[in-house]
Amino acid sequence: MGLSRSAERGAEVRGRLLVAAAQLIPEVGWHAVTTRAVAERADVGPGLVHYHFDSVQSLLRQAVVAVLSEALSVFPPVLSETASADAALGDMLAALDDYDGTDTTSLLFVEAYLASTRDEQLRMELSRLLEEFRVDLATWLAVHGTRAPADTAAVLAAAVDGVMLHRALNPGMTSSVVAPVLRRLLGDGDADAVAEGSG
Amino acid sequence: MGLSRSAERGAEVRGRLLVAAAQLIPEVGWHAVTTRAVAERADVGPGLVHYHFDSVQSLLRQAVVAVLSEALSVFPPVLSETASADAALGDMLAALDDYDGTDTTSLLFVEAYLASTRDEQLRMELSRLLEEFRVDLATWLAVHGTRAPADTAAVLAAAVDGVMLHRALNPGMTSSVVAPVLRRLLGDGDADAVAEGSG
DNA sequence: ATGCGCCTTGGGCATGTGCACAAGAGCGTA
DNA sequence: TACGCTCTTGTGCACATGCCCAAGGCGCAT
């Protein structure tokens, strides 16, 4: 066996290009990511991009899928380790404070959603990724006695993304504000009544 | 008085350019909207764009603000005419079936959100627009006895946008699936228990 | 050493881009 | 009729873009 050193370095450079692309998409917007900008960020010559990737669109697609599948893969283990529904939702929304709607991860998600409406292949891959996530979330919700777990999981996932979106335009939308309201989605009214009191 | 005919026609053309831009943004993406494409869609010469607008960015900003403020202005009158909370949420979500995540309006919203992270002036105008909407929604929620109306309005608005986003990647997310779950946000647990039964 | 395969470089080309500008068309006023 | 105002046209320019390609580097097997 023994992949040649050249091949190893090649794979490493390919990875740097993917990382650079994933950084640039949120910064300048999907269509504004250029071969030269990606190459410069990855510290390689401009021609290398089209050696490792068929086209810019292909590079962006692979970069986005890699990062998002990585980001989503974090949740299942976290969920399985958490005992109560409240605690888990708390964790989820605390993590949401890191994603303030202007950070690279949030924006990459949204850019990916938009790009998927114009790239059939990306649409299918993203669709599969999100479905896996919803299934994991739904089974976890079912274990904790939430009604209609599949539907709840779908709406909860959507709501979290919506909150990320709005947060960039509504600074008051901290997790402490969102959490009590979103908790109602899980269907237990008592924790809700206790948690609130001030506006 | 009598504005000259030229001026009238000028204003009309300016309007056509705004409409053309608002159509193109969802179709090809914010950064891919070019002066020539807008001019062609509006059936005018390429040079006209820079006569009526300072720059492409300025044209897109004005187009987006015009369309979104129009779209949001539809809701307050609908709300004030509706008696029950359930009926109103039903209306809202029925309207959501028209916005399936791949239609021009939904995509224009999302493109606007993204663009606002790179255009301070657009960010401020969109921020104001959404705040007005949230205030209207909150006062209506308060009238119908929802707890923490302001926070609930913020989360509900975000959730609706999130549902629009996800719907493009999750066809099963119809209003009949979303409505029962989202109804829990309003805080009454009884209607919820009655409405569900199947997954 | 020598040849081979992969990775890398830098430049080139056709095309598209935002924006500027001079020339003209239509219409109200004198 | 002649003038002035606004809107409109088409073209021009400097520059950026995606993608291509000939030439060179570097480690590995022979």
Side-chain angles (χ1 to χ4, degrees):
Chain A
M1 29 207 74
L3 227 47
S4 69
R5 286 310 156 93
S6 307
E8 283 180 37
R9 263 187 60 81
E12 193 264 349
V13 165
R14 210 188 105 101
R16 285 220 309 277
L17 285 172
L18 286 171
V19 170
Q23 288 176 354
L24 283 169
I25 291 170
E27 286 179 25
V28 301
W30 186 278
H31 288 293
V33 177
T34 68
T35 55
R36 287 164 179 83
V38 173
E40 188 180 0
R41 170 92 38 132
D43 260 315
V44 297
L48 250 191
V49 174
H50 285 86
Y51 175 81
H52 286 288
F53 300 92
D54 292 338
S55 65
V56 176
Q57 185 72 1
S58 167
L59 162 61
L60 298 184
R61 194 188 309 130
Q62 294 181 43
V64 135
V65 169
V67 171
L68 295 202
S69 80
E70 173 75 17
L72 289 180
S73 72
V74 170
F75 278 94
V78 168
L79 287 181
S80 64
E81 285 178 15
T82 316
S84 85
D86 271 14
L89 190 61
D91 284 356
M92 217 167 144
L93 294 171
L96 229 156
D97 270 342
D98 296 334
Y99 303 143
D100 68 344
T102 63
D103 63 282
T104 57
T105 307
S106 307
L107 293 178
L108 190 61
F109 264 85
V110 182
E111 291 279 359
Y113 286 143
L114 275 180
S116 74
T117 67
R118 299 172 201 119
D119 184 319
E120 180 61 15
Q121 189 175 344
L122 178 59
R123 197 191 63 80
M124 292 190 308
E125 297 187 37
L126 271 188
S127 188
R128 190 179 52 76
L129 232 55
L130 285 182
E131 185 171 355
E132 282 179 20
F133 177 71
R134 283 198 307 271
V135 169
D136 289 340
L137 187 55
T139 59
W140 179 85
L141 287 176
V143 168
H144 288 78
T146 304
R147 280 166 299 191
D151 296 352
T152 304
V155 174
L156 183 57
V160 168
D161 274 4
V163 167
M164 283 196 324
L165 251 195
H166 275 228
R167 182 168 282 182
L169 295 171
N170 181 11
M173 216 162 178
T174 62
S175 72
S176 61
V177 166
V178 173
V181 180
L182 225 45
R183 212 178 306 253
R184 298 184 200 146
L185 276 187
L186 301 187
D188 42 86
D190 47 354
D192 176 27
V194 171
E196 296 181 36
S198 63
Chain B
M1 22 214 112
L3 227 48
S4 71
R5 289 307 155 94
S6 307
E8 284 180 35
R9 263 187 59 80
E12 194 265 348
V13 165
R14 209 189 107 101
R16 285 221 308 279
L17 285 171
L18 286 171
V19 170
Q23 288 176 354
L24 284 169
I25 291 170
E27 286 179 24
V28 301
W30 185 279
H31 288 292
V33 177
T34 67
T35 55
R36 288 163 178 83
V38 173
E40 187 180 1
R41 170 90 41 131
D43 260 316
V44 297
L48 250 190
V49 174
H50 284 87
Y51 175 80
H52 287 289
F53 300 93
D54 293 338
S55 64
V56 175
Q57 185 72 1
S58 167
L59 163 61
L60 298 184
R61 196 188 307 129
Q62 293 181 43
V64 133
V65 169
V67 171
L68 295 201
S69 81
E70 173 75 16
L72 289 180
S73 72
V74 169
F75 278 94
V78 168
L79 287 180
S80 63
E81 284 178 13
T82 315
S84 85
D86 270 15
L89 189 60
D91 284 357
M92 219 166 141
L93 294 171
L96 230 156
D97 269 342
D98 296 334
Y99 303 143
D100 68 344
T102 64
D103 63 281
T104 57
T105 307
S106 307
L107 293 178
L108 190 63
F109 263 85
V110 182
E111 291 278 0
Y113 286 139
L114 276 180
S116 73
T117 66
R118 299 171 200 119
D119 183 320
E120 180 61 15
Q121 189 175 344
L122 178 59
R123 198 190 65 80
M124 291 190 309
E125 297 187 37
L126 271 188
S127 190
R128 191 178 51 77
L129 233 55
L130 285 181
E131 184 170 356
E132 283 179 19
F133 178 71
R134 283 198 307 270
V135 168
D136 289 340
L137 187 55
T139 60
W140 179 84
L141 286 177
V143 168
H144 288 78
T146 305
R147 278 167 298 191
D151 296 351
T152 304
V155 174
L156 183 58
V160 168
D161 276 3
V163 168
M164 284 197 323
L165 251 195
H166 276 229
R167 181 168 283 182
L169 294 171
N170 181 11
M173 216 163 179
T174 63
S175 71
S176 61
V177 165
V178 173
V181 180
L182 225 45
R183 213 178 304 255
R184 298 184 201 147
L185 277 187
L186 301 188
D188 41 86
D190 47 354
D192 176 27
V194 171
E196 297 182 34
S198 63

